[in-house]
Amino acid sequence: MAVYLFNRLGPAVAFVGLLASSCTDSESSRPERVMESSSVGPADFDRDGVSELVVAAPGAPGATDRGGRVYVYAAPLAGASMPTPALTLSGIELRDARFGEALTVGDFDRDGYPDLAVGGFSERRVHVFRGSEAGLTPTPAQTLLGSTEGCFHAAVAVGDVDGDGYGDLAVGDSCADLGVGRVYLFVGSSDGLVPRAAAELSGALEPWMGPLGQVRAAGDTDRDGYSDVWIGNSFELRLHRGGPDGLSTEPSIRIQRSDSPSLAFPDVTTGIDTNGDGLTELVLRHEARDPDTGVRYELRLYPGTDAGPSTTPVVLAARDETCDLVPTPTRAAGDFDADGYDDLVVRSCNGLDVWGGSAHGPVIEPSPRIVAPPWIPHDGYASAEDFGWAASALDLDGDGYDDLVVGAPSGAGYYGRAFVYRGGPSGLATEPDLELRAPDGRESFFGHAFPD
């Protein structure tokens, strides 16, 4: 028996029995999220003080079907009711390339301008577009190649792992080694990313553990001056430390499925600091099953310590029954009221809850609540659960307050939508200031991913 985990555009990983994997393609079933991007640094590619808005549409038609497009909007909150992209990026023109399934930002050549890395599932490539005084280059400055049998797609800028001042990039390949999976680390240099991987982390020893390949930037979890990296599969999360020799090959912390039975790597927020102590935290969704009471869902925060994230979590929220969506952390943690504390955004019940940060960590009750727009159908494929599929916090108007961009890639007949909510002294607005629509074609899945 084969059980498939789907990304938004088709199955990315096939599991035989429980978790023995291979990589195939099909369009016959409803997709579920299996891979996403994360990033380090603002998306201010020309360093003018205002972040650009980058929106992925991996299903957008190009010269080939589902070739994928990435749209760059300059100053989207400057006043236009329906801004048009200042730049449209594409990869190689392969059918079903899905260019844009992973987006991340980092300064890989230390020139002071952030760069954009874009991955596509079927391309088996990661393209790097350089930032400059004139903005992003319209064509890739370099392209990193994966193996011919791999799915070299989940790109994550992970900060400076080896302390040399250059941003580094981790890339996940969940199809490597016959589905065991690998994570590759590419280090930055004055010429950009070094094409040959500086480190390779292998996957699980047993097929049932599932393929390794998902990556999250952890930040400097122990304040030693080196960035750390979370990697994982469907069985566990592993924290690998940075250091003068690069990334450690052995994990220092493991959170396993026996501790969090429903652990799914997309349901994790890393590298946040809700209490302003300079120590990064981990937030994930936990599912516990009891034969008498049924299923209980918990939103858990693992506080930061000088030794790294604590292994004793704090429960922020719990629910015995689902509404339309159990509490699921996004990776859109930002300071929306500029009080010096990160705020946490959580998908739950056809909307988003915002947990404000404070000196004591997240507040007891979330506020505000952002409800999915009423035009998104609450049934079938394009449900309100789709609202918040991707989210990102960044300052789009240069006022010092992070704004929130939210994607609904299956909305409006699968064209997709993206919404921008302004931050301010009182926190996030509950009504969108801007709604962006897919520039190109049906089933574009516009709003599938954003970089921070």
Side-chain angles (χ1 to χ4, degrees):
M1 180 184 70
V3 180
Y4 290 87
L5 289 186
F6 287 77
N7 60 29
R8 195 40 83 162
L9 302 172
V13 182
F15 294 96
V16 180
L18 281 177
L19 290 168
S21 65
S22 62
C23 293
T24 64
D25 252 333
S26 170
E27 301 177 3
S28 62
S29 191
R30 175 178 175 174
E32 297 295 340
R33 180 190 248 177
V34 298
M35 76 173 180
E36 300 176 26
S37 66
S38 178
S39 60
V40 176
D44 183 6
F45 302 111
D46 54 8
R47 304 296 293 178
D48 65 352
V50 178
S51 292
E52 282 72 52
L53 176 57
V54 182
V55 184
T64 58
D65 185 33
R66 289 181 176 176
R69 293 290 183 267
V70 171
Y71 304 98
V72 182
Y73 297 83
L77 294 178
S81 59
M82 185 55 66
T84 57
L87 185 64
T88 300
L89 304 177
S90 60
I92 60 173
E93 295 294 350
L94 291 177
R95 185 182 185 276
D96 216 27
R98 309 179 194 178
F99 175 83
E101 284 213 356
L103 301 176
T104 191
V105 173
D107 187 1
F108 306 122
D109 54 6
R110 204 171 66 175
D111 64 352
Y113 295 95
D115 309 311
L116 176 69
V118 183
F121 178 78
S122 297
E123 276 197 311
R124 302 182 180 92
R125 291 168 171 81
V126 174
H127 305 277
V128 180
F129 299 82
R130 292 267 175 84
S132 71
E133 186 176 0
L136 278 178
T137 56
T139 57
Q142 64 178 138
T143 298
L144 305 175
L145 301 177
S147 63
T148 56
E149 71 276 5
C151 43
F152 200 40
H153 58 277
V156 177
V158 292
D160 185 4
V161 170
D162 53 8
D164 64 355
Y166 296 95
D168 304 319
L169 180 76
V171 179
D173 184 346
S174 58
C175 301
D177 302 329
L178 300 177
V180 172
R182 282 181 178 266
V183 171
Y184 302 87
L185 179 71
F186 295 89
V187 297
S189 74
S190 59
D191 296 322
L193 292 166
V194 177
R196 183 180 179 86
E200 298 183 16
L201 303 177
S202 60
L205 297 177
E206 299 294 337
W208 60 268
M209 290 183 177
L212 190 73
Q214 298 302 317
V215 191
R216 297 287 183 270
D220 184 1
T221 61
D222 51 5
R223 290 196 291 201
D224 65 352
Y226 301 97
S227 296
D228 308 316
V229 180
W230 285 104
I231 69 172
N233 55 19
S234 57
F235 179 76
E236 67 178 1
L237 295 175
R238 310 172 188 176
L239 181 67
H240 291 258
R241 307 273 193 192
D245 297 324
L247 202 62
S248 63
T249 56
E250 293 297 323
S252 60
I253 295 176
R254 295 174 182 260
I255 298 177
Q256 294 190 337
R257 189 167 180 166
S258 58
D259 299 319
S260 188
S262 70
L263 185 63
F265 206 71
D267 300 339
V268 175
T269 300
T270 62
I272 65 172
D273 183 10
T274 60
N275 62 3
D277 64 357
L279 296 167
T280 60
E281 302 149 356
L282 169 71
V283 180
L284 56 80
R285 188 186 74 188
H286 174 89
E287 176 183 320
R289 296 182 179 272
D290 185 278
D292 298 322
T293 61
V295 180
R296 177 181 175 86
Y297 300 95
E298 294 179 347
L299 187 67
R300 292 185 169 187
L301 180 144
Y302 293 76
T305 73
D306 287 326
S310 168
T311 55
T312 303
V314 175
V315 177
L316 300 181
R319 181 173 294 120
D320 292 329
E321 299 292 337
T322 66
C323 27
D324 293 299
L325 190 70
V326 299
T328 303
T330 72
R331 288 186 310 290
D335 191 358
F336 303 116
D337 53 6
D339 64 354
Y341 304 103
D342 281 345
D343 307 314
L344 177 67
V345 180
V346 177
R347 299 174 66 219
S348 180
C349 302
N350 298 322
L352 300 174
D353 292 326
V354 181
W355 298 74
S358 74
H360 304 289
V363 297
I364 297 175
E365 293 293 336
S367 178
R369 175 164 179 74
I370 298 173
V371 179
W375 59 264
I376 299 180
H378 285 229
D379 63 300
Y381 190 132
S383 72
E385 294 182 13
D386 186 71
F387 179 74
W389 177 274
S392 182
L394 64 170
D395 185 0
L396 291 172
D397 51 11
D399 64 355
Y401 299 95
D402 281 338
D403 308 304
L404 180 68
V405 56
V406 181
S410 295
Y414 317 127
Y415 283 79
R417 292 285 191 271
F419 304 88
V420 178
Y421 297 82
R422 283 186 188 268
S426 300
L428 275 176
T430 56
E431 296 295 329
D433 192 82
L434 180 66
E435 175 186 332
L436 295 172
R437 302 183 181 185
D440 296 309
R442 184 175 174 82
E443 296 188 1
S444 293
F445 298 94
F446 180 81
H448 174 88
F450 316 101
D452 291 335

